[in-house]
């Protein structure tokens, strides 16, 4: 799956590089569908109680971006990736013709440090795929924030191609050497609990922290982030609901009694031979649960990557689903899931097939 992600980014960046001699393609996230402007702020957290699993000589660090409903837009747009993050992603491709700042120029629909709305809001924690920056879930984050959610995207240190910290230093993917999936999901589960302590604990670090309703928290993860969702829920009962986006299960989910959504590409249909872990985990869950897949969907359909590639004018080999449609389908079902389980608003969309989304299949 990681090679598939790299191929997508490579195609996108190659076109951006080719376009610099003329007018570079405009890369932009889709406009959120909610009514609220979206603000962002970022935090550098250090868990002094834990050694980093990949660099044990250091304490565990992470970057966290918050997206939230704002009273009105701020004046500074949120940058998609930093200069150094973009440089390192380009360097991984080994193509010197690609502009180093290609991924710093993606247009977002949020602004930095906008004043948050003064009301109680549920919290959704996002964990990205392996090697991927937290920014790759920006479309989903902006959508949820525009609809009244505070969203915390975690940059798990040494597990991404690049993470830039406030002092300017940028770390790379040390975990890419070991590829210890069990260790990854265990580390991420601990990261999530630590982030919750900082956001909804006794002394919230965010100025709007008192606005977050600690009784209404969910986690959504993509790929290895999805694999980390059930372990995080089992380790921390503050997480009331969770969604797995096209990941695999590396640990048992025995005892998972809270709402859970399995949402993926056709490879994750029941009885699949590529990843039988979904069948096994499904049998262990005892709470509310749904299992849905998207016809012609693929692993990166929940992220911004496919859409950015399409905007760059390069088709992704084997891609069958329209990227914008994939994002809208994902947002519709994830918003329905969160509205039902964090806001107590029953959603018919989760009861079975819908003519609005004929590509979505229900398996349970």
């Amino acid at each position: 799956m990681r090679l598939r992600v790299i191929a997508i980014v490579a195609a996108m960046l190659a076109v951006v590089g080719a376009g610099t001699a003329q007018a570079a393609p405009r890369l932009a996230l889709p406009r959120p569908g909610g009514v609220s402007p979206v603000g962002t702020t970022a935090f550098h957290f250090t868990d002094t109680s834990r050694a980093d699993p990949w660099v044990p000589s250091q304490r565990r660090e992470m970057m966290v971006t918050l997206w939230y409903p704002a009273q009105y837009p701020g004046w500074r747009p949120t940058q998609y990736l930093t200069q150094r993050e973009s440089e390192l992603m380009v360097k991984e491709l080994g193509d010197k013709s690609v502009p180093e700042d290609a991924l710093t120029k993606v247009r977002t629909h949020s602004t930095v440090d906008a004043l948050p709305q003064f009301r109680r809001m549920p919290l959704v924690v996002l964990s990205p795929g392996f090697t991927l920056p937290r920014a790759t879930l920006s479309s989903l984050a902006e959508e949820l924030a525009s609809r009244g959610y505070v969203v915390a995207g975690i940059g798990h240190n040494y597990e991404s191609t690049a993470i830039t910290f406030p002092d300017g230093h940028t770390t790379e993917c040390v975990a890419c050497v070991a590829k210890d999936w069990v260790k990854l999901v265990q580390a991420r589960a601990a990261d999530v609990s630590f982030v919750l302590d900082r956001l909804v604990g006794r002394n919230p670090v965010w100025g709007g922290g008192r606005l977050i309703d600690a009784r209404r928290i969910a986690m959504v993860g993509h790929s290895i982030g999805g694999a980390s969702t059930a372990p995080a829920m089992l380790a921390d009962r503050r997480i009331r609901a969770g969604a797995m986006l096209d990941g695999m299960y590396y640990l048992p989910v025995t005892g998972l009694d809270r709402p859970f959504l399995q949402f993926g590409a056709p490879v994750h249909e029941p009885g699949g031979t590529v990843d039988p872990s979904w069948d096994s985990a499904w049998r262990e869950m005892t709470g509310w649960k749904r299992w849905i897949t998207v016809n012609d969907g693929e692993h990166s359909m929940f992220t911004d990557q496919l859409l950015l590639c399409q905007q760059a004018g390069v088709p992704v080999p084997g891609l069958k689903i329209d990227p914008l449609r994939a994002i809208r389908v994902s947002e519709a079902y994830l918003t329905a899931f969160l509205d039902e389980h964090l806001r107590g608003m029953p959603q018919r969309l989760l009861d079975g097939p819908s003519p609005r989304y004929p590509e979505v299949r229900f398996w349970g």
Side-chain angles (χ1 to χ4, degrees):
M1 289 181 178
R2 180 171 180 256
L3 293 176
R4 173 69 165 165
V5 168
I6 292 175
I8 291 170
V9 176
M12 179 181 72
L13 291 176
V15 171
V16 174
T20 55
Q22 303 173 7
R26 185 178 185 182
L27 306 181
L29 303 183
R31 187 173 296 278
V35 298
S36 296
V38 178
T40 63
T41 191
F43 295 97
H44 171 202
F45 291 153
T46 301
D47 185 350
T48 58
S49 70
R50 239 187 336 145
D52 188 277
W54 315 110
V55 184
S57 61
Q58 300 179 11
R59 297 291 91 184
R60 181 62 163 171
E61 295 181 84
M62 61 206 79
M63 288 298 298
V64 175
T65 297
L66 288 188
W67 290 262
Y68 55 86
Q71 295 186 27
Y72 44 79
W75 63 271
R76 181 160 59 98
T78 303
Q79 187 177 44
Y80 193 73
L81 289 183
T82 67
Q83 177 71 27
R84 186 58 178 155
E85 288 167 343
S86 182
E87 288 173 5
L88 285 173
M89 292 192 73
V90 171
K91 180 181 178 181
E92 182 174 313
L93 302 174
D95 188 341
K96 296 183 179 179
S97 69
V98 177
E100 293 182 339
D101 64 349
L103 295 177
T104 68
K105 298 179 179 180
V106 177
R107 182 188 177 192
T108 63
H109 298 282
S110 54
T111 54
V112 178
D113 293 335
L115 191 66
Q117 294 180 8
F118 192 75
R119 58 188 173 107
R120 296 285 280 175
M121 296 173 282
L123 172 67
V124 181
V125 178
L126 299 183
S127 184
F130 189 48
T131 79
L132 297 179
R134 62 195 185 281
T136 56
L137 295 174
S138 292
S139 293
L140 175 60
E142 291 186 344
E143 177 70 16
L144 293 175
S146 78
R147 296 182 180 277
Y149 289 90
V150 177
V151 182
I154 303 178
H156 306 272
N157 202 21
Y158 297 119
E159 298 172 19
S160 172
T161 297
I163 297 179
T164 299
F165 289 83
D167 65 0
H169 86 278
T170 300
T171 59
E172 300 181 42
C173 188
V174 178
C176 290
V177 177
K179 295 181 181 177
D180 186 332
W181 309 122
V182 171
K183 189 175 180 180
L184 272 162
V185 300
Q186 290 173 333
R188 290 196 176 200
D191 288 349
V192 170
S193 285
F194 177 74
V195 168
L196 292 182
D197 289 342
R198 301 306 305 275
L199 294 179
V200 299
R202 186 168 298 178
N203 298 298
V205 296
W206 181 42
R210 300 296 181 187
L211 302 176
I212 297 175
D213 189 342
R215 300 166 302 175
R216 296 186 292 161
I217 298 173
M219 179 178 172
V220 177
H222 170 243
S223 194
I224 197 67
S228 307
T229 301
M233 294 178 69
L234 290 171
D236 196 324
R237 293 200 64 86
R238 289 176 296 184
I239 307 172
R240 288 186 51 185
M244 150 88 86
L245 306 181
D246 213 61
M248 298 177 68
Y249 293 92
Y250 296 100
L251 292 172
V253 300
T254 306
L256 186 57
D257 58 358
R258 279 152 285 156
F260 202 84
L261 173 65
Q262 295 187 158
F263 194 0
V267 70
H268 289 296
E269 292 178 0
T273 57
V274 176
D275 177 19
S277 71
W278 281 40
D279 295 82
S280 300
W282 182 257
R283 292 190 292 268
E284 294 185 59
M285 298 176 190
T286 60
W288 184 104
K289 55 186 178 180
R290 290 290 183 274
W291 182 343
I292 61 178
T293 59
V294 180
N295 291 340
D296 295 331
E298 73 109 69
H299 186 61
S300 295
M301 66 183 176
F302 303 99
T303 75
D304 308 327
Q305 294 175 291
L306 299 180
L307 180 64
L308 296 178
C309 187
Q310 181 187 64
Q311 291 172 350
V314 171
V316 176
L319 181 66
K320 298 178 181 179
I321 192 168
D322 176 72
L324 180 58
R325 176 65 177 178
I327 287 175
R328 294 308 189 199
V329 170
S330 302
E331 291 173 347
Y333 282 87
L334 288 169
T335 300
F337 173 74
L338 295 167
D339 281 351
E340 177 157 322
H341 297 292
L342 295 190
R343 287 176 162 157
M345 301 165 56
Q347 302 289 312
R348 293 184 61 186
L349 189 62
L350 300 175
D351 293 339
S354 167
R356 289 184 292 160
Y357 303 103
E359 60 270 77
V360 174
R361 303 190 69 182
F362 277 69
W363 301 102

